[in-house]
Every structure is written in structure tokens, then in C-alpha cells.
Amino acid sequence: MFERARRLLQFITTGIILAIAAVVCFVLWDYYTAAPWTRNGQVRVQVADIAPRVSGQIIDIKVRDNQFVHAGDILYDIDPFDFKVNVASATAVVNERQAEMVLKATQEYRRNNLTDAAASREEKQVYQATAEVAKAQYAAAMAALSQANINLDRTHVRSTVTGYVTNLIMRVGDYATTAKANIQVIDASSYWVDGYFEETKIRSIHIGDRARMDLMGYRQPMWGHVTSITRGIATPNATPSTQGLPSVDPVYTWVRLAQRIPVRVQIDSIPPGTQFAAGMTTTVTIVGSKGKRAHDSLTEALNRLRDALMGGTGGSGQRY
């Protein structure tokens, strides 16, 4: 009797242990393969490539590498001598055109006050047209002066965004060329995170979902929300070969790795003291309203496990 009870207790204990192990395995499987999270996340940022709008030699650099600047701050100066000469020349032309315009207007006024016997109607029309031409030439000279003044002001190259000067390698004496970027400023207001999720997890991610982001080296997480999901990634099989035919890579018939789809997450809060930089690695986790990792319902999880056991999609692989 005692031996039978001992055997029954062993069976019950073994069954409980197996049940607990099965539950633990199921939870771990759901945690690592089904829940929408990824260690493959990266901090991204927009960078303004600032190019001068006039050409010339750089005579002064106002900033240093990694310095914080505001939009409109001067980054460096281009030699203004030639542009000051252009302004002086344009000013002289304006004065000349103005004097000529006044003269032509006076001549027109005098002819218009004469009788038809002293000045024919045709002569009056000629003087009127000459005055209009002089007025147009004065307007053109004023426009050229305005352009010369603008070009002089453009010798002060300014930041177009508020942020951080990055990778500053220019030096005094370098030649700045119009429309050729030579200084970069990180837009401090444009940081976001790209989380590269397996395609098997994309169906559980929705626009507006809350996201937790854990940077490597920091204990406190960042928080944000999903703003978009990429609609397409590059396809190696679409690359043409030397003959123009599609170059198709061989695919294993047993298992196929899931593609990684970029999910864009807007950052809502950053812990104080975080040294933030584009390119940092982060773990991205889609969470519920209470900050816990988002999971499917038990029924959906069991159905997914059944599909995986029957040969459907499970984890990062796909069976055929």
C-alpha cells in the first residue's frame, strides 16, 4: 500500500514538473518568437548638408566640431572683397541709370507741354518711349544691386537648422564652391529609431502602438510610438545579371529566414543624462498601455503554436 502511494506520488510529481516545463517552454517560445520586439534597432537622424551659395576662399570658421548651433548662426565666412566690388559697381550703375531716367522724364515732360506745331505727336511718342526705356533700365540696375547685396551677405554661410556641427574637416584657406556641401549639421529635432522587425511579427504592430527602446549602456528606457511601417525593401532577386536577366539566389527547401522590415518609431521621451547619438543600437519592444510587452491572446498563441507544429510559420523560419 505504501509502495503504491509512493509510485502515485512520483507520477503526480513528474506530471506537475512536465506541465510546468511545458508552460515555461511555451512562454519562452511566445516571448522570443511571437511577441513584437527586436534587438536590431538603430537611432537615426536627419543631417543638413550645407553648401555655400557663392564661391570663394574661406577666411574664418566660426564653429568647432560637435558645437551646438541655432538656425541662422554663421558657420564660416568667405572672402567678401570681390562681392564688395560688385556692390560698388552695381551702385554706380544705379546712380547712372537714375540720372538718365530723370533726364529722359524731364525731356518727355517738356515735349508733352509743347503744342503740336512745336513738336509733332510722333516726336512726343518717341520721347515717351525713351523715358520708359530709361525707367526700365533703372529697374534692372536696382535688381542687379539687390543681387550684389545678397551675394555679399551670402559670404556669411549660416546654419539652416538647429543642431550639432558634425565631422568638421574644413580649414581656413579652403575654397568653397557654390552648391557643393562642405559642412554638415545634425538636426537636433529630427531623431527617431528604426526597429528592424521580422516579417512574422509585423502583423502584431500597428500605427500608434507604444514602444519601449533600451539603449545599450543605459538602464533607463526611452519611450515612443510607431509612426510608420516600411512598405518595401530591396529584393536581391531583382538585380539583373551581366546579360540583363534576373539573378536569382538559391533558396533552401526546408527553412527560409524571415526578412527584416523597418518600423519607424518617434521618440517621445529620453531619460535625463542620456548621451544621444545617431547610429546607437537599441532594443525596440512594442508594449501595452501598462508598459508590458504586448502579447496575443492565449487562443491566438495556441493557434500559432499548433500551426508551427503542423508545419506553418514559427519563429524566424518558414517551413514548406
Side-chain angles (χ1 to χ4, degrees):
M1 187 69 180
F2 177 77
E3 184 65 23
R4 181 179 298 179
R6 188 177 65 84
R7 288 176 178 269
L8 180 60
L9 182 61
Q10 288 179 344
F11 284 135
I12 294 175
T13 303
T14 303
I16 294 174
I17 293 175
L18 291 176
I20 294 175
V23 172
V24 170
C25 290
F26 175 75
V27 171
L28 290 176
W29 175 83
D30 180 66
Y31 184 88
Y32 282 100
T33 64
W37 74 288
T38 179
R39 288 193 181 96
N40 190 6
Q42 192 173 46
V43 178
R44 301 279 306 278
V45 76
Q46 292 180 340
V47 180
D49 291 326
I50 299 176
R53 302 184 67 176
V54 294
S55 297
Q57 190 177 42
I58 298 173
I59 60 172
D60 188 20
I61 299 176
K62 303 290 187 179
V63 295
R64 62 183 184 277
D65 197 19
N66 299 317
Q67 178 179 335
F68 183 81
V69 296
H70 295 87
D73 288 351
I74 297 176
L75 303 176
Y76 63 90
D77 289 331
I78 296 175
D79 186 0
F81 179 79
D82 293 340
F83 301 96
K84 290 181 178 179
V85 172
N86 291 339
V87 169
S89 177
T91 301
V93 173
V94 166
N95 293 335
E96 179 184 354
R97 298 303 184 192
Q98 184 178 20
E100 186 174 358
M101 180 184 65
V102 172
L103 174 62
K104 299 300 181 181
T106 301
Q107 291 176 342
E108 178 195 10
Y109 175 78
R110 290 175 178 174
R111 291 304 185 279
N112 287 335
N113 289 332
L114 294 177
T115 63
D116 291 340
S120 65
R121 181 175 301 177
E122 180 180 2
E123 184 180 2
K124 293 180 180 180
Q125 291 176 347
V126 169
Y127 275 92
Q128 181 180 4
T130 302
E132 292 296 329
V133 170
K135 190 180 299 183
Q137 290 176 341
Y138 173 74
M142 286 295 295
L145 176 60
S146 177
Q147 184 65 61
N149 282 317
I150 291 175
N151 288 340
L152 178 60
D153 181 69
R154 286 173 178 170
T155 59
H156 304 295
V157 180
R158 304 175 186 273
S159 177
T160 57
V161 297
T162 297
Y164 300 90
V165 177
T166 184
N167 195 29
L168 182 63
I169 57 176
M170 68 165 55
R171 58 175 296 175
V172 173
D174 288 348
Y175 191 84
T177 303
T178 302
K180 185 177 180 180
N182 56 4
I183 190 170
Q184 288 74 34
V185 178
I186 293 175
D187 187 350
S189 63
S190 67
Y191 284 97
W192 80 93
V193 168
D194 271 344
Y196 302 94
F197 288 84
E198 294 174 345
E199 56 185 311
T200 54
K201 300 177 182 179
I202 291 297
R203 67 184 183 87
S204 301
I205 303 175
H206 307 89
I207 305 300
D209 283 350
R210 195 180 182 201
R212 168 176 173 157
M213 295 157 285
D214 295 278
L215 291 170
M216 293 181 64
Y218 291 92
R219 293 184 178 180
Q220 292 184 326
M222 302 186 301
W223 296 94
H225 63 277
V226 176
T227 57
S228 64
I229 300 174
T230 297
R231 295 296 181 176
I233 59 176
T235 304
N237 290 337
T239 304
S241 66
T242 55
Q243 295 179 330
L245 303 175
S247 179
V248 180
D249 294 330
V251 176
Y252 295 104
T253 57
W254 176 247
V255 65
R256 183 178 176 183
L257 296 178
Q259 294 284 358
R260 297 276 180 167
I261 306 299
V263 175
R264 185 164 181 153
V265 179
Q266 179 177 325
I267 301 171
D268 295 330
S269 65
I270 302 175
T274 301
Q275 189 69 31
F276 211 46
M280 297 178 73
T281 303
T282 177
T283 297
V284 182
T285 307
I286 306 301
V287 299
S289 58
K290 296 182 179 180
K292 300 294 183 63
R293 178 173 297 190
H295 288 273
D296 292 335
S297 66
L298 181 60
T299 302
E300 293 173 332
L302 290 174
N303 290 337
R304 191 168 58 251
L305 177 60
R306 182 196 60 190
D307 294 339
L309 294 176
M310 294 178 61
T313 302
S316 60
Q318 181 177 355
R319 296 182 179 178
Y320 293 85

